[in-house]
Amino acid sequence: MATDAPALFSGPQAGRAPGETGAPLADRMRPQSLDEVVGQEHLAAPGAPLRALIEAGTLPSLILWGPPGTGKTTLARLVAAAQGGAAFAALSAVMAGLKEVRAIVAEAERGRRAGRRTVFFLDEIHRFNRAQQDALLPHVEAGTVTLIGATTENPSFEVIGPLLSRCRVFTLKPLSEAHLEALLRRAAADAERGLGAKSAIGDDAFAAMARLAGGDARRALGILETAAAAQHARNESAPLDARAVSEAAGARAPLYDRDREEHYNTISAFIKSLRASDPDAALYYMARMLEAGEDPLFICRRLAIFAAEDVGNAEPAGLPLALAAWQAVERMGLPEGRIPLAQAATFLACAPKSNRALVALQRASAAARETAAAGIPLHLRNAPTPLLKAEGYGAGYRYPHDAPDGFVPMRNLPEAVGGAPFYEPTERGAEGAIAARLAKWRRRLDSPSDAH
């Protein structure tokens, strides 16, 4: 049975703006000044670029870009509050459209005529489509509103170029565990002052909350609020510990979106870890994708590309293994398909690497573009008619299988291309044997007694 004493986070905190009764702790704990902002010192500390703009009174339109729970909305409100009597209007692009934007612009125009500027905060600006973003342009350009857009997505991809060019972009960082723990302790201290009572939260609980929040202050404070409420409901007198925090936190959904930036960041990290011959990192990023619900066939496709592009002839078994894993995943499905994926990823990560086949193709493609009209050497041409034989088609061609060692030194590139080699194998793995064999053939090709 729960005690009649008030819960630790049941209402507005001491020294904080009360807001609505029952507002989440994260909302009640919003910083009231730039000096209270934690984890974004590169923007909010004295002398930092954003703070300097604010204090100089020359605030341009800007985009705040960062992960969830890093303070974008808080910074926007603090920036607006520092504008000396400026009107503040806020919308979420998830809920609003052009009708609401036009209403804000109309009010801003009236305010402008009265000598008052308007700061327009548009949260989740990436949710606006191109036409909606286009509609903002003339009002930002004319200074009718000072736009502050907030987004979790890369503005290079999600904000139209003309609007982006009219805004300064400031990037917020995920909060470190030390920053999150500081915020959590501040919240607990505020609650203690409001209730006149000491909270029972162990150091391990603060550390666990900071770790489980994954850089998200909103999630950290939500875990604290939930864990404290559960402790209160159980009427437990023991300090809140890491076990209780983990139970309150529940499972965290991965920060991953299959068609947005984290998708591309994660697959990039996966491929670069394979290329760096780091099987542990490769498995980790692959597991993150699978845990987030990524299509395993997408991973199969990237493994096959990697096997050809980055492993190449240094380990010729790489591509067949990647394709076999692809087939196995198609037939098995998940969760069993994770096993051949793991086999392929670890094999390719640990395989010797060579991208010389790709480099050779790129060189050959460049030469092909430059010499597209070069004639094919006559000895390589087919001669199905007497006329073509009379023209010299096929003359001088020697069948390599008739040679004792299966090699006939013939120059097969058009003269216009020259003799610079495209394929230059490495000495790594199986490609070393190819390099030795090819070097011997090329020496014979360059020998006056053999080549023609």
Side-chain angles (χ1 to χ4, degrees):
M1 179 176 170
T3 177
D4 292 333
L8 185 59
F9 300 105
S10 58
Q13 304 308 302
R16 301 285 159 189
E20 295 182 18
T21 302
L25 177 63
D27 190 55
R28 303 198 303 270
M29 286 299 301
R30 287 191 188 279
Q32 303 300 299
S33 71
L34 288 172
D35 291 329
E36 289 187 5
V37 173
V38 173
Q40 308 300 340
E41 289 79 10
H42 64 295
L43 299 179
L50 180 57
R51 184 158 182 164
L53 285 173
I54 296 169
E55 293 173 348
T58 56
L59 185 71
S61 290
L62 53 92
I63 303 291
L64 300 175
W65 170 36
T70 52
K72 297 183 294 297
T73 300
T74 293
L75 271 179
R77 293 182 179 278
L78 292 175
V79 166
Q83 296 312 297
F88 180 72
L91 286 178
S92 169
V94 175
M95 304 294 293
L98 288 181
K99 178 182 176 182
E100 291 80 7
V101 169
R102 291 190 186 104
I104 287 174
V105 168
E107 184 63 28
E109 287 173 340
R110 288 190 287 271
R112 190 181 187 189
R113 288 193 292 271
R116 185 181 72 249
R117 69 186 301 189
T118 297
V119 176
F120 174 26
F121 174 55
L122 182 57
D123 198 13
E124 306 283 350
I125 189 172
H126 60 275
R127 299 285 188 177
F128 266 15
N129 61 33
R130 184 178 186 88
Q132 290 171 314
Q133 292 186 36
D134 277 334
L136 296 170
L137 279 174
H139 311 299
V140 172
E141 180 74 30
T144 306
V145 295
T146 299
L147 176 68
I148 303 179
T151 178
T152 56
E153 303 297 334
N154 189 330
S156 301
F157 304 139
E158 303 296 336
V159 178
I160 61 172
L163 185 57
L164 197 60
S165 72
R166 290 162 173 80
C167 299
R168 289 279 302 273
V169 177
F170 292 97
T171 304
L172 285 77
K173 301 176 180 177
L175 302 185
S176 69
E177 291 185 16
H179 288 137
L180 290 171
E181 190 165 340
L183 285 173
L184 291 163
R185 290 183 182 277
R186 180 195 292 175
D190 273 18
E192 289 169 6
R193 286 195 295 272
L195 294 174
K198 180 71 176 174
S199 62
I201 303 176
D203 289 342
D204 64 331
F206 281 118
M209 286 183 276
R211 183 181 69 254
L212 292 168
D216 184 332
R218 187 183 299 109
R219 176 168 168 79
L221 292 167
I223 293 172
L224 173 57
E225 188 172 28
T226 303
Q231 188 88 336
H232 175 72
R234 290 193 298 266
N235 196 21
E236 293 184 9
S237 58
L240 189 67
D241 59 16
R243 178 193 57 78
V245 166
S246 295
E247 291 175 356
R252 177 166 173 76
L255 180 62
Y256 189 84
D257 195 324
R258 284 171 55 177
D259 64 352
R260 294 188 181 272
E261 189 189 7
E262 280 307 304
H263 163 82
Y264 297 106
N265 287 343
T266 310
I267 193 62
S268 175
F270 175 58
I271 295 301
K272 289 174 181 174
S273 298
L274 289 171
R275 189 176 293 139
S277 301
D278 187 341
D280 301 316
L283 284 171
Y284 170 76
Y285 291 115
M286 187 175 77
R288 276 183 58 160
M289 289 188 283
L290 291 170
E291 291 295 326
E294 180 59 80
D295 181 357
L297 297 182
F298 167 75
I299 301 174
C300 291
R301 176 176 175 272
R302 295 308 300 261
L303 284 170
I305 294 169
F306 179 85
E309 178 180 348
D310 289 278
V311 174
N313 290 328
E315 177 47 86
L319 182 55
L321 179 65
L323 294 174
W326 193 339
Q327 185 180 53
V329 172
E330 285 182 320
R331 293 185 176 185
M332 291 179 185
L334 293 179
E336 292 84 355
R338 297 159 63 99
I339 302 168
L341 278 175
Q343 179 186 357
T346 51
F347 181 88
L348 294 174
C350 297
K353 309 291 191 299
S354 171
N355 71 340
R356 296 298 178 84
L358 172 64
V359 171
L361 174 62
Q362 291 168 338
R363 291 172 177 171
S365 296
R369 288 190 295 270
E370 293 172 5
T371 60
I376 304 296
L378 288 175
H379 71 277
L380 295 180
R381 301 188 189 190
N382 193 25
T385 69
L387 175 61
L388 293 177
K389 287 183 180 180
E391 291 292 325
Y393 282 37
Y397 176 74
R398 290 186 287 170
Y399 192 52
H401 293 293
D402 290 340
D405 59 357
F407 176 74
V408 173
M410 295 180 290
R411 294 195 181 278
N412 300 309
L413 284 171
E415 288 187 10
V417 176
F422 300 136
Y423 182 44
E424 297 181 285
T426 69
E427 297 297 326
R428 294 190 289 272
E431 199 168 39
I434 296 174
R437 193 160 56 243
L438 186 57
K440 181 180 71 173
W441 291 339
R442 284 173 174 165
R443 283 193 300 270
R444 287 185 60 187
L445 186 63
D446 291 334
S447 171
S449 61
D450 281 343
H452 67 279

